[in-house]
Amino acid sequence: MKRFLVGLALSVLGITPAISQQAPVGPPVNTIREMGEALWSCWNPPPDTQNFQVTIRFSFKRNGEVLGKPRITYSTFNGDVEERKIIMSRILASLDACTPLNVTPELGGAIAGQIFTMTFTSPSTKA
């Protein structure tokens, strides 16, 4: 039921969470810390947006590609529908820009199928 609701929420906003699969992005990643740094390097919050927080959950294949579609597990917005579309599009674009990760075979074996979460916030809500 949750999957249906997340898909419904995205479709209402007119957003398709399609992560393209292309050549690995960036230098080789060999640790979870490097993985986080690589993923966050692509996040560029939309300017002039009201307070928001969005948590997504996703997994990787052993080659660094995103496995399936990212799922929204939490979201809160203070802006209008158009602002929500911008925020969600920016989040999905940042994940798309950084994947597939250029993971080493060792890290690829360790992360394959594991669930990862990222929480995106507006610049005004960061500490």
Side-chain angles (χ1 to χ4, degrees):
M1 183 66 166
K2 276 188 176 181
R3 288 182 188 178
F4 172 75
L5 293 176
V6 169
L8 180 62
L10 289 174
S11 66
V12 167
L13 292 174
I15 299 168
T16 304
I19 303 300
S20 68
Q21 303 308 326
Q22 54 199 357
V25 177
V29 174
N30 192 43
T31 66
I32 297 293
R33 181 179 182 164
E34 290 173 356
M35 196 173 107
E37 291 169 357
L39 290 169
W40 284 114
S41 72
C42 294
W43 172 236
N44 185 16
D48 302 323
T49 52
Q50 302 200 17
N51 291 341
F52 67 88
Q53 184 176 359
V54 177
T55 300
I56 63 170
R57 177 180 122 164
F58 55 97
S59 298
F60 289 99
K61 297 178 184 177
R62 88 178 40 248
N63 67 356
E65 292 179 0
V66 173
L67 176 64
K69 295 180 182 179
R71 306 228 186 278
I72 298 170
T73 58
Y74 176 80
S75 66
T76 181
F77 299 94
N78 289 333
D80 60 18
V81 172
E82 193 59 36
E83 189 171 287
R84 292 174 191 178
K85 286 181 184 179
I86 292 168
I87 292 164
M88 292 307 302
S89 293
R90 186 73 64 97
I91 289 170
L92 295 172
S94 72
L95 188 57
D96 187 48
C98 282
T99 58
L101 292 173
N102 189 7
V103 296
T104 61
E106 295 80 12
L107 182 61
I111 66 170
Q114 300 298 316
I115 296 172
F116 294 90
T117 60
M118 293 179 74
T119 299
F120 298 85
T121 60
S122 58
S124 60
T125 59
K126 288 187 177 181

